[in-house]
């Protein structure tokens, strides 16, 4: 207590018989520091002013990150995922090589960083998960938070299946030679022959489709469970559950390894790949700019989509992680830092991928030259080609690519009309590098094939798939946090029980992905459960902050929270540019979806080829259901709020403020619902939980507070009070 206070100190267990206003009236008017932290309340009944004891016993201070590094690693781990390794390099190759980096960087600055900053800011400011944040800003748009949770659940279902696949390959990598190095032999009573399906494709392709997935020929043939993949999926969910069971206290420690280890592996792979023959060819092919492609709208649309998903916007994980931050944390610096770390990680992964693929292309090109050289020798022996056409310096026992191209050029010049009938392949390394591969095809087929040619290939295989597991886990932690944190904040359930229940439910539902047809369901969920719903979610987030709550008010909040006003650039991005770009991207996605009926790639074992098939009617219905179910909470909550089917003050959390774990009931009035945070009036919606004094800064005593604003720096009751060491908790 201040030395000049006349209030008698009470014990915590004594009954509070005075109202809050009575307590404050006894405070000396000359105590300026107490004036700034006093509660502005009206005369209310005694039972509305005293502590809600049953709530104060259970409410705890919000957890906080142990260090800034831990928080940054969590955000980096969430944003940097499998897409950086197997999606970005593919888009770079497909859309103009090095020229693709120009539209990507422009869109990263225009929509990526501003929207990432927006999510960080609202999470840190309101200190809630996605449900609480959007209820707080606009109750009628409260469905945004529920939609984010649904999308996170859908993504978690199939994303952990990919981690399970990586665990399977990781477990199979402790062998020399690797099990996908050679095609298996089929033995009968008299002879042994190569498996026909493998012979028609390749060893790595056969191992992926037949040994690992044991895939069926269409989505209509379930084929039963693949028990090995089911065990791997269970292992993946156990790992996620154990890491997340204590929230950021447990997952934060795992982040040190899961976020940093992939960089160690990528750098090791890059150094090793650069020492291999052909790696420079791959890198030079990758970054040779094709400037004419930059003018195509499709390139910009795909760049915008990649920026959008690379940063994890709309999932709720960014908001959840930032909600555990200190109030005065510089989230603008975090947004720029994490965004550019994500970008440079994508570039690093692209260098690694194309260095390795360049080495693989060189190996395949040498095999092509050797095979076609045998054809030429056959033509020479049969008299189809004359020995006079072969340069004298050439030795057929050691023909290189340059020699082969010289011979074929001679053949074209002499036998121009008959050359095509010879059936000689061009054996150009660029043709091999132009074979665009992405996703599982890159990780489990192309990359694994390249690693079989590495010296000490089992070691590199172990490192690669362990890296994939860690990349996946980092993203899974953020995805699960986007589910758990909003539900814990809203419904006040035990985090441990909710985490275990969520993981058990997800594993049970996820068994559809480990059927023999499971890969087709993974593709379905990847295409339809997240893309369109997330775009809608982020459009509504942008509109809610910029137009419903108000960009000017939000800027004032940021200035009060950060201690400085952000660049005016963000004002125009949030209010005008980002919404227009997002709406254009949403329209383009809807048009593309309408013009291209849903299809999937099926593996036809008899032909050993992939074939594009249309979904059956129930599959089409399932695709549409995924999209509809993900965005359904938005209109449902809006309708319920609009027609007052749910009272906006009916939530037990809507009329309470927080102070050192204490909950104080407030007098909520309807007109307060639309007041801004700047004006200092507490909305009747879910308020911001206020942490303890250890993580909040105290405004200077020179700051003056108007009677119409909250006495605690305009951010809800309890901010300065939580920072005053002499304030007795028992009095409130």
């Amino acid at each position: 207590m201040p030395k000049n206070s006349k209030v008698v100190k009470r014990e915590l267990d004594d009954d509070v018989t005075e109202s809050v206003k009575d307590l404050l009236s006894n405070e000396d008017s000359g105590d300026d520091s107490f004036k700034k932290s006093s509660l502005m309340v009206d005369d209310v009944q005694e039972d509305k002013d005293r502590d809600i004891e049953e709530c104060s016993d259970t409410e705890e201070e919000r957890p906080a990150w142990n260090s800034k590094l831990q928080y940054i690693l969590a955000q980096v781990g969430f944003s940097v995922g499998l897409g950086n390794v197997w999606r970005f390099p593919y888009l770079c190759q497909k859309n103009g090589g090095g020229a693709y980096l120009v539209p990507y960087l422009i869109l990263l600055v225009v929509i990526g960083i501003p929207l990432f900053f927006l999510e960080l800011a609202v999470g840190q400011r309101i200190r809630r998960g996605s449900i609480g944040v959007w209820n707080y800003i606009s109750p009628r748009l409260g469905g945004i938070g529920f939609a984010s949770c649904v999308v996170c659940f859908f993504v978690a279902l199939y994303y952990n299946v990919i981690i399970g696949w990586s665990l399977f390959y990781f477990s199979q990598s402790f062998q020399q030679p690797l099990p996908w190095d050679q095609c298996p032999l089929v033995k009968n009573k008299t002879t042994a022959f190569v498996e026909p399906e493998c012979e028609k494709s390749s060893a790595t392709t056969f191992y992926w489709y037949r040994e690992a997935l044991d895939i069926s020929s269409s989505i209509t043939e379930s084929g039963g469970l693949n028990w090995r993949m089911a065990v791997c999926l269970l292992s993946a969910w156990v790992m996620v559950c154990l890491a997340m069971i204590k929230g950021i206290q447990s997952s934060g420690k795992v982040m040190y390894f899961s976020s940093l280890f992939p960089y160690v592996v990528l750098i090791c792979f890059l150094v090793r790949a650069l020492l291999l023959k052909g790696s420079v060819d791959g890198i030079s092919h990758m970054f040779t700019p094709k400037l004419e492609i930059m003018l195509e709208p499709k390139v910009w649309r795909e760049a915008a989509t990649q920026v959008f998903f690379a940063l994890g916007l709309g999932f709720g994980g960014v908001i959840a992680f930032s909600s555990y931050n200190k109030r005065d944390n510089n989230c603008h610096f975090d947004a720029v830092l994490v965004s550019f770390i994500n970008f440079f990680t994508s570039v690093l992964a692209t260098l690694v991928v194309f260095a390795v693929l360049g080495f693989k292309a060189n190996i395949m090109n040498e095999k092509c030259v050797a095979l076609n050289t045998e054809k030429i020798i056959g033509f020479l022996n049969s008299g189809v080609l004359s020995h006079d056409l072969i340069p004298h310096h050439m030795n057929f026992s050691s023909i290189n690519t340059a020699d082969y191209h010289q011979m074929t050029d001679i053949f074209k010049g002499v036998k121009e009309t008959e050359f095509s009938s010879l059936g000689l392949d061009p054996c150009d390394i660029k043709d091999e590098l132009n074979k665009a591969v992405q996703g599982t095809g890159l990780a489990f087929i192309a990359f694994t094939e390249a690693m079989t040619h590495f010296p000490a290939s089992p070691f590199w295989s172990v490192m690669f798939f362990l890296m994939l597991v860690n990349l996946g886990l980092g993203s899974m932690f953020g995805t699960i946090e986007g589910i758990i944190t909003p539900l814990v904040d809203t419904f006040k359930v035990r985090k441990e029980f909710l985490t275990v229940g969520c993981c058990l439910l997800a594993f049970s539902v996820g068994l559809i992905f480990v059927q023999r047809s499971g890969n087709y369901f993974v593709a379905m969920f990847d295409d339809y459960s997240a893309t369109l719903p997330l775009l809608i979610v982020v459009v509504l987030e942008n509109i809610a902050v910029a137009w419903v709550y108000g960009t000017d008010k939000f800027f004032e909040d940021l200035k009060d929270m950060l201690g400085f006003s952000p660049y005016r650039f963000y004002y125009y991005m949030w209010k005008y540019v980002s919404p227009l770009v997002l709406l254009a991207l949403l329209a383009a996605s809807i048009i593309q979806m309408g013009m291209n009926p849903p299809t999937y790639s099926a593996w036809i074992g008899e032909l050993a080829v992939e074939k594009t098939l249309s979904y059956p009617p129930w599959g089409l219905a399932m695709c549409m259901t995924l999209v509809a179910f993900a965005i359904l909470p938005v209109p449902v909550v809006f309708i319920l709020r609009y027609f007052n089917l749910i009272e906006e003050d009916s939530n037990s959390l809507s009329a309470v403020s927080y102070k050192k774990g204490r909950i104080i009931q407030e007098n909520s009035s309807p007109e307060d619902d639309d007041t801004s945070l700047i004006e200092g009036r507490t909305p009747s919606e879910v308020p911001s939980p206020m942490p303890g004094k250890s993580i909040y800064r105290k405004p200077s005593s020179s700051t003056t507070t108007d009677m119409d604003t909250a006495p605690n720096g305009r951010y809800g009751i309890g901010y300065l009070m939580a920072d005053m060491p002499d304030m007795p908790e028992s009095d409130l």
Side-chain angles (χ1 to χ4, degrees):
M1 295 288 290
K3 292 181 181 180
N4 59 348
S5 173
K6 299 178 182 179
V7 177
V8 180
K9 184 176 182 180
R10 296 181 177 87
E11 295 297 328
L12 283 175
D13 54 350
D14 288 344
D15 293 333
V16 180
T17 58
E18 299 177 352
S19 68
V20 176
K21 184 175 181 181
D22 292 333
L23 286 173
L24 297 179
S25 65
N26 290 331
E27 194 65 27
D28 195 334
S29 60
D31 195 340
D32 291 335
S33 63
F34 190 87
K35 282 181 181 179
K36 293 173 186 175
S37 61
S38 61
L39 291 170
M40 300 308 216
V41 297
D42 296 327
D43 285 327
V44 291
Q45 294 179 0
E46 182 179 357
D47 61 340
K48 290 186 179 179
D49 288 331
R50 59 187 174 85
D51 274 53
I52 305 174
E53 295 296 338
E54 63 272 19
C55 294
S56 62
D57 292 338
T58 59
E59 182 69 26
E60 299 176 356
E61 292 183 2
R62 192 169 189 81
W65 296 101
N66 291 336
S67 67
K68 180 66 175 283
L69 176 62
Q70 191 180 84
Y71 165 68
I72 293 296
L73 289 178
Q75 291 286 16
V76 169
F78 175 53
S79 66
V80 175
L82 297 173
N84 295 74
V85 174
W86 66 33
R87 177 70 178 167
F88 186 88
Y90 161 76
L91 291 175
C92 229
Q93 176 194 23
K94 176 186 174 184
N95 296 317
Y100 174 74
L101 299 180
V102 175
Y104 186 88
L105 270 174
I106 292 173
L107 290 167
L108 179 66
V109 173
V110 170
I111 63 171
I113 294 176
L115 292 175
F116 193 59
F117 179 28
L118 184 147
E119 289 202 357
L120 289 178
V122 295
Q124 181 175 309
R125 157 63 189 89
I126 301 175
R127 298 181 62 76
R128 287 284 185 186
S130 56
I131 295 176
V133 160
W134 303 114
N135 264 329
Y136 192 96
I137 288 178
S138 175
R140 291 180 180 178
L141 294 178
I144 296 174
F146 288 99
S148 292
C149 288
V150 173
V151 173
C152 279
F153 185 73
F154 284 162
V155 171
L157 287 177
Y158 74 85
Y159 205 84
N160 225 20
V161 175
I162 301 173
I163 298 177
W165 293 342
S166 302
L167 285 173
F168 174 77
Y169 269 79
F170 172 75
S171 66
Q172 299 298 308
S173 297
F174 296 90
Q175 304 177 45
Q176 178 67 29
L178 292 169
W180 50 83
D181 186 39
Q182 299 291 335
C183 283
L185 295 176
V186 179
K187 298 181 180 179
N188 55 23
K189 295 180 180 179
T190 57
T191 60
F193 56 93
V194 177
E195 171 66 47
E197 185 179 353
C198 184
E199 190 175 20
K200 294 176 183 177
S201 54
S202 68
T204 51
T205 304
F206 173 81
Y207 191 87
W208 166 243
Y209 283 119
R210 191 54 54 211
E211 297 292 336
L213 299 181
D214 193 18
I215 198 166
S216 61
S217 58
S218 73
I219 196 172
T220 56
E221 302 173 21
S222 68
L225 282 180
N226 182 338
W227 67 269
R228 291 188 298 180
M229 287 304 174
V231 171
C232 291
L233 178 62
L234 177 62
S235 302
W237 276 114
V238 169
M239 292 168 64
V240 171
C241 185
L242 292 177
M244 297 296 301
I245 196 164
K246 290 292 185 181
I248 62 171
Q249 279 79 11
S250 55
S251 65
K253 296 178 177 62
V254 181
M255 294 293 181
Y256 287 108
F257 180 76
S258 65
S259 296
L260 293 176
F261 180 74
Y263 291 95
V264 175
V265 176
L266 285 173
I267 293 171
C268 290
F269 260 98
L270 181 60
V271 172
R272 184 68 189 91
L274 289 175
L275 299 176
L276 297 172
K277 184 180 178 181
S279 59
V280 177
D281 294 330
I283 294 175
S284 62
H285 175 80
M286 175 66 252
F287 288 102
T288 300
K290 305 177 184 66
L291 299 177
E292 66 280 0
I293 300 181
M294 279 182 56
L295 302 177
E296 297 180 8
K298 182 181 178 183
V299 174
W300 291 81
R301 180 178 61 81
E302 292 189 346
T305 305
Q306 178 63 18
V307 167
F308 181 83
F309 289 107
L311 294 175
L313 300 174
F315 283 95
V318 173
I319 294 175
F321 279 150
S322 65
S323 72
Y324 298 113
N325 255 333
K326 295 180 181 180
R327 176 183 176 273
D328 59 350
N329 174 64
N330 188 348
C331 55
H332 174 254
F333 172 80
D334 299 341
V336 176
L337 177 65
V338 173
S339 298
F340 278 100
I341 288 177
N342 186 293
F343 170 70
F344 288 118
T345 304
S346 299
V347 174
L348 175 62
T350 302
L351 285 171
V352 172
V353 166
F354 276 91
V356 173
L357 291 183
F359 166 69
K360 172 180 172 285
N362 192 273
I363 296 291
M364 300 304 292
N365 203 54
E366 289 178 353
K367 289 183 178 181
C368 176
V369 168
L371 179 63
N372 284 273
T373 300
E374 291 180 3
K375 289 183 181 180
I376 292 174
I377 293 173
F379 293 146
L380 292 172
N381 293 334
S382 63
V384 176
L385 292 175
S386 172
H387 287 274
D388 296 335
L389 298 177
I390 307 300
H392 297 293
H393 69 277
M394 288 191 183
N395 183 1
F396 280 102
S397 62
S398 58
I399 293 290
N400 57 33
T401 304
D403 292 338
Y404 175 75
H405 287 159
Q406 184 180 356
M407 285 192 297
T408 54
D409 289 341
I410 293 173
F411 299 156
K412 286 179 183 178
V414 176
K415 294 181 173 287
E416 185 175 353
T417 57
E418 302 175 10
F419 179 78
S420 59
S421 62
L422 296 178
L424 297 177
D425 298 317
C427 294
D428 190 350
I429 194 171
K430 291 183 179 179
D431 294 337
E432 191 68 32
L433 288 170
N434 281 329
K435 294 179 180 177
V437 183
Q438 66 165 324
T440 55
L442 174 64
F444 299 107
I445 298 177
F447 222 85
T448 52
E449 183 176 351
M451 286 187 296
T452 59
H453 302 291
F454 277 32
S457 56
F459 168 77
W460 294 105
S461 183
V462 167
M463 294 284 283
F464 176 71
F465 289 110
L466 187 58
M467 178 192 73
L468 290 188
V469 169
N470 280 276
L471 283 173
L473 286 176
S475 297
M476 275 298 296
F477 294 156
T479 304
I480 297 298
E481 198 69 56
I483 302 171
I484 301 298
T485 297
L487 295 180
V488 169
D489 289 342
T490 303
F491 301 107
K492 299 302 174 186
V493 295
R494 283 286 297 272
K495 178 168 286 189
E496 294 86 350
F497 296 154
L498 182 61
T499 302
V500 173
C502 179
C503 291
L504 283 175
L505 176 62
F507 169 72
S508 301
V509 178
L511 291 176
I512 67 171
F513 301 109
V514 290
Q515 304 175 93
R516 290 183 58 198
S517 60
N519 188 47
Y520 306 136
F521 287 98
V522 170
M524 176 192 291
F525 272 67
D526 189 35
D527 291 338
Y528 295 99
S529 69
T531 307
L532 199 60
L534 278 180
L535 277 172
I536 295 173
V537 165
V538 178
V539 168
L540 292 175
E541 287 182 358
N542 198 165
I543 292 173
V545 172
W547 292 95
V548 177
Y549 180 70
T551 313
D552 293 312
K553 297 176 185 178
F554 190 56
F555 252 68
E556 288 295 325
D557 286 355
L558 290 174
K559 184 177 180 180
D560 189 86
M561 183 171 67
L562 302 177
F564 63 89
S565 183
Y567 297 113
R568 200 66 180 172
F569 163 81
Y570 292 105
Y571 180 92
Y572 298 107
M573 291 298 106
W574 286 332
K575 193 161 188 177
Y576 304 111
V577 179
S578 294
L580 291 176
V581 173
L582 288 173
L583 288 172
L585 183 59
L586 178 62
S589 299
I590 294 174
I591 292 171
Q592 185 194 27
M593 190 175 293
M595 293 176 61
N596 301 311
T599 58
Y600 66 99
S601 294
W603 177 255
I604 311 300
E606 296 78 10
L607 304 175
V609 294
E610 285 187 340
K611 186 177 180 181
T612 301
L613 301 178
S614 298
Y615 283 106
W618 61 266
L620 291 173
M622 192 171 179
C623 292
M624 297 302 103
T625 301
L626 288 174
V627 175
F629 196 77
I631 62 175
L632 187 62
V634 175
V636 167
V637 172
F638 182 86
I639 292 171
L640 292 176
R641 295 287 196 187
Y642 184 81
F643 292 103
N644 294 322
L645 299 178
I646 293 181
E647 293 294 334
E648 295 191 358
D649 59 350
S650 62
N651 192 326
S652 62
L653 302 176
S654 63
V656 293
S657 289
Y658 296 77
K659 174 195 162 296
K660 287 189 176 182
R662 288 289 197 175
I663 302 181
I664 307 162
Q665 192 168 16
E666 297 178 333
N667 186 28
S668 59
S669 58
E671 61 269 14
D672 285 339
D673 289 335
D674 294 326
T675 57
S676 71
L677 307 178
I678 304 307
E679 293 174 345
R681 296 169 185 163
T682 306
S684 66
E685 281 304 305
V686 183
S688 168
M690 290 301 162
K693 61 185 178 182
S694 62
I695 65 171
Y696 281 124
R697 65 178 183 177
K698 182 177 178 182
S700 62
S701 59
S702 62
T703 304
T704 58
T705 306
D706 189 81
M707 291 300 290
D708 288 336
T709 62
N712 52 16
R714 299 176 288 188
Y715 275 88
I717 296 171
Y719 166 53
L720 284 183
M721 300 185 70
D723 212 38
M724 295 193 63
D726 296 321
M727 179 62 62
E729 295 182 46
S730 59
D731 289 349
L732 298 177

